[in-house]
Amino acid sequence: MNAEESGYDKSRFPEFKGDTFDCLICSQVARSPYECTNCGHLFCEKCINDWFKKQKQCPNRCDSKHAIQKVSKALLKIYNELEIRCISFESCGTVMKLSDVEKHEKTCSQPKCINFEICQNRVAPNLRDEKACDLSCVLLSQMKKLSPFDLANCRKEIEVFLKRYAQASKMLGNGIKSDNRPVAASGVGVTNFRWDSSLIGQSIELNADKSSVFLKEQAYMFRSVIGDTAMNGGVHYWEIHADSRTENELKIGVTTRREFNINSAFCDYEHGFGYYGLGQLRHNSNASGPQFGKKFKKEGVLGIFLDMNRGELSFSLNGENMGVAFKSDALKSGPIYAAVSLLHCAGFVLVNGIPAPEIFIK
């Protein structure tokens, strides 16, 4: 059984030595604990679900499968207060409450940013080569290599940086044809944003740099996250990297409004344009839409390309262009915001700050 899905190793708890929270199946401290209301034993959610695939009663031979329920609120409160060491404790050194461990370890597994002593962030997935958390730290690391009085070389480094990351190279005067259509030049489509922590649906968790998103709850209702930066013109590209824990398909796209019920799917409304991971499109509907592209759920990379010059929203899957999903005058003018809606148990990682692939450049 995968150790990351069964119980927590008891050696990770510096103060707790009892067996109150032990899983009867794996004998570790139960992860996402359930209890039998007949015998009182606890189980990991993963352990008991696997058990019921083979057996129809409690592992302690209690009468009914239905006696297995989530632990009571009172017991859960005590459980969440347990102190646990980070799984990378030797390098990390962090001890935290059990209720915080999952959120902490999502980012702790990433290497530290090259400027960690200043920013306290981890390396972003799209900046692994630069060993940086964001573009500010990329530039800062370049500046630190130069003498503080070497202004000529500082300017040169800034020029190199801007040429690499400027959106559509507009501010540099290259990479744009006379009709404002982007050509395949370095920097085309580069877009930088994070998810707005003030606009996230119920139960959604963000990591420290607001790029990794995860939802797990009992309810089956779509919850949305919205980008924190408006797109007001030009071309924009970003990617959604699948989370293997996802059980329900995402709705991914853009919205022209931020004021709506965030505990619903953004593309239920007229202002939302979304690709649904079932291989369908959604716009102004929560139930139906045309077939489009391939399915996307727990593996792969979905690319999103917004061309506001043409009013087009396109998608790719694992480097294959699935085509233009939407063409609308509403996509020609800002503000437009990236948006994703999640259902029940789903997650993903946002990657941006990278140029659009040539498959999108017309």
Side-chain angles (χ1 to χ4, degrees):
M1 184 177 294
N2 189 327
E4 288 303 308
E5 296 176 330
S6 57
Y8 297 102
D9 191 315
K10 298 173 76 170
S11 66
R12 294 178 59 188
F13 296 82
E15 302 297 333
F16 181 70
K17 304 301 181 185
D19 60 2
T20 306
F21 295 103
D22 283 9
C23 171
L24 184 63
I25 297 174
C26 70
S27 299
Q28 302 294 337
V29 174
R31 185 187 296 259
S32 301
Y34 280 67
E35 68 178 324
C36 176
T37 56
N38 288 336
C39 67
H41 281 103
L42 299 192
F43 311 94
C44 301
E45 180 180 12
K46 169 67 174 174
C47 291
I48 196 63
N49 285 341
D50 286 349
W51 175 270
F52 282 141
K53 291 176 183 177
K54 302 174 183 177
Q55 306 289 335
K56 299 302 181 184
Q57 61 180 182
C58 166
N60 205 34
R61 298 185 178 180
C62 297
D63 291 338
S64 174
K65 166 182 175 179
H66 300 292
I68 306 296
Q69 300 178 4
K70 283 195 170 184
V71 297
S72 67
K73 290 183 179 180
L75 189 59
L76 183 62
K77 184 176 181 179
I78 300 172
Y79 172 87
N80 284 335
E81 291 293 319
L82 296 177
E83 291 193 338
I84 184 172
R85 296 184 179 97
C86 173
I87 197 169
S88 304
F89 182 75
E90 290 186 4
S91 58
C92 170
T94 301
V95 178
M96 73 216 80
K97 292 181 179 179
L98 190 53
S99 58
D100 298 328
V101 67
E102 185 174 347
K103 183 183 295 186
H104 169 83
E105 289 178 356
K106 284 179 184 177
T107 55
C108 186
S109 60
Q110 298 293 329
K112 293 180 179 179
C113 173
I114 195 171
N115 298 310
F116 183 79
E117 70 282 2
I118 298 173
C119 67
Q120 297 294 302
N121 289 327
R122 301 277 169 170
V123 171
N126 58 312
L127 294 173
R128 289 192 181 96
D129 291 343
E130 291 85 353
K131 300 179 181 178
C133 63
D134 59 23
L135 298 183
S136 298
C137 277
V138 174
L139 183 56
L140 178 59
S141 64
Q142 296 300 315
M143 296 297 98
K144 287 166 67 176
K145 297 176 183 178
L146 302 172
S147 163
F149 302 106
D150 192 353
L151 297 182
N153 278 329
C154 281
R155 178 178 174 79
K156 185 180 297 183
E157 288 292 337
I158 291 172
E159 288 177 349
V160 170
F161 179 85
L162 291 177
K163 285 179 181 178
R164 185 175 179 186
Y165 293 106
Q167 292 186 18
S169 299
K170 286 184 178 181
M171 63 191 297
L172 301 176
N174 61 16
I176 301 293
K177 291 184 178 180
S178 59
D179 62 357
N180 269 346
R181 288 172 55 193
V183 299
S186 176
V188 170
V190 173
T191 301
N192 289 288
F193 66 88
R194 287 293 185 261
W195 303 112
D196 190 334
S197 58
S198 68
L199 283 174
I200 60 173
Q202 180 180 326
S203 301
I204 289 178
E205 295 182 355
L206 296 180
N207 69 342
D209 75 348
K210 302 176 184 177
S211 63
S212 177
V213 180
F214 192 71
L215 169 69
K216 186 173 183 181
E217 62 175 357
Q218 292 299 312
Y220 280 82
M221 297 178 63
F222 275 101
R223 317 289 191 184
S224 295
V225 291
I226 308 297
D228 62 4
T229 303
M231 294 172 278
N232 291 300
V235 294
H236 305 269
Y237 177 75
W238 62 100
E239 294 178 346
I240 298 299
H241 289 226
D243 186 317
S244 61
R245 297 170 294 176
T246 296
E247 297 177 6
N248 304 91
E249 289 82 359
L250 306 168
K251 294 180 179 180
I252 302 165
V254 300
T255 176
T256 61
R257 289 184 55 191
R258 288 157 59 89
E259 300 79 19
F260 66 95
N261 179 7
I262 208 73
N263 289 309
S264 61
F266 69 94
C267 47
D268 289 355
Y269 308 96
E270 187 176 4
H271 55 76
F273 300 81
Y275 158 81
Y276 190 11
L278 291 172
Q280 301 173 7
L281 299 180
R282 290 289 188 271
H283 171 58
N284 201 23
S285 173
N286 65 358
S288 63
Q291 296 293 315
F292 176 83
K294 299 180 179 179
K295 295 182 178 181
F296 170 75
K297 183 163 71 172
K298 61 188 344 177
E299 60 182 22
V301 176
L302 189 81
I304 303 95
F305 183 70
L306 174 64
D307 185 344
M308 296 182 69
N309 299 323
R310 295 172 171 268
E312 295 178 349
L313 182 63
S314 304
F315 296 90
S316 65
L317 182 59
N318 298 327
E320 178 184 345
N321 190 349
M322 295 195 291
V324 175
F326 298 99
K327 187 175 180 66
S328 170
D329 287 342
L331 299 174
K332 290 183 177 180
S333 60
I336 294 177
Y337 301 89
V340 178
S341 297
L342 307 88
L343 176 68
H344 180 57
C345 181
F348 65 89
V349 176
L350 167 71
V351 173
N352 56 19
I354 53 178
E358 292 189 1
I359 57 172
F360 287 120
I361 308 303
K362 300 179 180 180

